[in-house]
Amino acid sequence: MARKHSKHGLTDAPPVEDEVAPAPAPCWLCGRPTGKTIVWHHPVPKSRGGRDVVPMHPICQQTVTANFTNSELERHGMDAEGLLANPAIRKFVDWVAKKDPDFTATITKKQR
């Protein structure tokens, strides 16, 4: 039976070069780079037939779900600009733009 490893630690495999980490995906809503935690959000809710997912910060996703119903999200679809037209969302995005990508805070309850 052949040995799996050389007796002297030499291998035929080429040395592995340092891999460059890919750049973090930008948040779908605010455009900032995502941090350690990424939420894969359905812009069109799954209950409304949505299949596509987009990367978001948890705080951005919480803000969207706190300010829009599933019906409203279905109407906006994949259009983040439509959501940003809402004054509450625009105010939030302007505020969070200066924060760290891993920033988190409590979000107010749904205002319906």
Side-chain angles (χ1 to χ4, degrees):
M1 187 180 269
R3 291 184 185 158
K4 289 185 178 181
H5 303 286
S6 170
K7 197 185 232 186
H8 302 287
L10 300 174
T11 62
D12 294 334
V16 178
E17 295 182 21
D18 293 334
E19 292 184 21
V20 177
C27 177
W28 179 72
L29 183 67
C30 69
R32 297 179 302 137
T34 52
K36 293 178 185 173
T37 306
I38 298 174
V39 174
W40 292 97
H41 175 71
H42 290 267
V44 176
K46 287 173 64 176
S47 64
R48 304 293 178 144
R51 296 188 185 277
D52 297 333
V53 291
V54 293
M56 288 181 78
H57 296 105
I59 192 170
C60 294
Q61 194 262 350
Q62 292 168 359
T63 302
V64 167
T65 58
N67 287 288
F68 294 100
T69 63
N70 283 350
S71 299
E72 291 169 330
L73 290 174
E74 180 184 18
R75 283 192 294 268
H76 287 289
M78 294 292 290
D79 180 29
E81 294 301 321
L83 299 179
L84 292 171
N86 181 308
I89 299 295
R90 174 50 63 193
K91 182 178 176 183
F92 165 78
V93 169
D94 291 343
W95 172 76
V96 83
K98 302 173 193 90
K99 307 292 184 199
D100 184 65
D102 290 317
F103 175 78
T104 185
T106 56
I107 301 297
T108 58
K109 298 202 181 228
K110 294 186 179 188
Q111 301 171 1
R112 294 184 196 162

